[in-house]
Amino acid sequence: MLNIAVRAARAAGRITMRFFERVDAIKVQTKSRNDFVSDVDRAAEAAIIEVLRGKYPDHAILAEESGAHAAGRGAGDELQWIIDPLDGTTNYLHGFPQWSISIGLRQRGRMQLAVVYDPLHEELFTAERGAGALLNDRKIRVTQRRSLEGALIGTGIPFRDQSRLRVYLKMMEAIIEDTAGIRRPGSAALDFAYVAAGRLDGFWELGLSPWDFAAGVLLVTEAGGAVSDLAGSERHFETCNVVAGGLKVHRAMLQRLHPFLGPDLPA
């Protein structure tokens, strides 16, 4: 299944690369405030689904642009592919070189395999449950940093729903103390992959969608890290608020973020 997911990601990668040098010619629509979809998103998603459906016609699919595709007769929703065909569309449309393709497989609520592909830099992050995480076939691990002191932390600033912007800025103020800095590259799937590869020590973001982090969750955990919601529980697929990092950095981030939980910001 991992090989098929990689094949699907590479098919989408060829489409995204074909248009990246001429983004001015791409037709773009606004889905909601500061949220865009292009013909490239749709074409890349169609390519992924074609590969997956060709091999696994009975599997369910949850895709960012086309939504939920029911499983075949008798299969139920036991196996579900979760797809983001172009994570970082705004970056892509501005020619900013930080975007990726994310494909994950979930079985009975647990992630089983993950692919995050950065075709621009030819970096392929993969993971299978119980088998570890890889970058271009090389084993990767989260950092072993013991605290937030000197840590490099990734994040995503709320840009669609800004009702939580004030509390987010307070969170950022609390997290940044003692760290080496905070980065906001703009592709959550790659942020998780970078945590898994030790390029970031930790990451947090509010209000993500499942396709933004489904593959990334498995990458981080298979690389020896931890992923949770803001309260430290495994309800992040329900709350869509996510904290990830090496074990001690993850714990330290939760401690810094805990004071901000409440009625206006559930975990």
Side-chain angles (χ1 to χ4, degrees):
M1 287 186 185
L2 182 60
N3 290 336
I4 298 302
V6 168
R7 185 188 305 171
R10 291 195 183 279
R14 288 191 290 272
I15 291 170
T16 55
M17 288 299 294
R18 191 182 310 148
F19 290 96
F20 187 58
E21 296 301 326
R22 45 194 179 100
V23 293
D24 290 346
I26 299 172
K27 183 185 291 185
V28 180
Q29 291 180 307
T30 301
K31 292 195 289 187
S32 61
R33 185 178 185 274
N34 293 330
D35 194 10
F36 308 100
V37 61
S38 71
D39 286 347
V40 177
D41 295 74
R42 294 191 177 102
E45 183 170 291
I48 293 170
I49 292 173
E50 181 179 6
V51 172
L52 297 180
R53 277 286 193 236
K55 190 68 175 178
Y56 307 112
D58 291 338
H59 290 187
I61 293 174
L62 177 63
E64 179 176 13
E65 307 307 338
S66 58
H69 300 242
R73 181 177 297 178
D77 289 332
E78 182 178 306
L79 287 164
Q80 181 187 50
W81 295 94
I82 305 177
I83 300 165
D84 192 336
L86 180 51
D87 186 56
T89 298
T90 300
N91 282 353
Y92 182 92
L93 294 174
H94 283 78
F96 191 88
Q98 188 78 1
W99 43 273
S100 61
I101 294 147
S102 177
I103 302 173
L105 179 67
R106 182 164 57 176
Q107 183 176 27
R108 297 176 184 170
R110 300 183 74 192
M111 296 306 302
Q112 297 296 326
L113 64 81
V115 174
V116 173
Y117 180 41
D118 175 357
L120 192 61
H121 300 101
E122 264 304 320
E123 291 193 325
L124 180 70
F125 300 85
T126 60
E128 291 183 90
R129 177 169 292 280
L134 304 173
L135 166 54
N136 292 345
D137 298 321
R138 177 178 57 84
K139 199 88 167 181
I140 53 176
R141 296 287 293 177
V142 298
T143 63
Q144 301 302 307
R145 192 172 295 277
R146 295 176 176 273
S147 70
L148 286 176
E149 185 174 353
L152 187 64
I153 305 297
T155 190
I157 301 170
F159 65 96
R160 287 187 291 257
D161 178 6
Q162 297 188 353
S163 62
R164 295 176 177 174
L165 182 58
R166 286 189 177 183
V167 69
Y168 167 79
L169 292 174
K170 291 178 181 178
M171 286 178 159
M172 186 166 65
E173 185 178 10
I175 290 286
I176 200 171
E177 185 179 353
D178 303 325
T179 69
I182 289 179
R183 300 290 183 267
R184 199 279 191 195
S187 171
L190 274 183
D191 292 332
F192 279 94
Y194 283 12
V195 171
R199 297 174 180 175
L200 291 170
D201 296 292
F203 171 81
W204 95 101
E205 187 165 353
L206 310 178
L208 288 169
S209 297
W211 44 78
D212 295 320
F213 63 85
V217 165
L218 190 64
L219 284 173
V220 171
T221 55
E222 285 298 318
V227 182
S228 72
D229 63 13
L230 300 178
S233 79
E234 295 184 357
R235 296 180 58 246
H236 40 280
F237 274 100
E238 299 171 43
T239 67
C240 292
N241 300 324
V242 187
V243 184
L247 299 181
K248 293 184 178 180
V249 167
H250 176 262
R251 191 179 307 123
M253 292 178 69
L254 289 177
Q255 291 173 349
R256 296 278 179 97
L257 295 172
H258 186 265
F260 304 101
L261 299 182
D264 295 331
L265 183 61

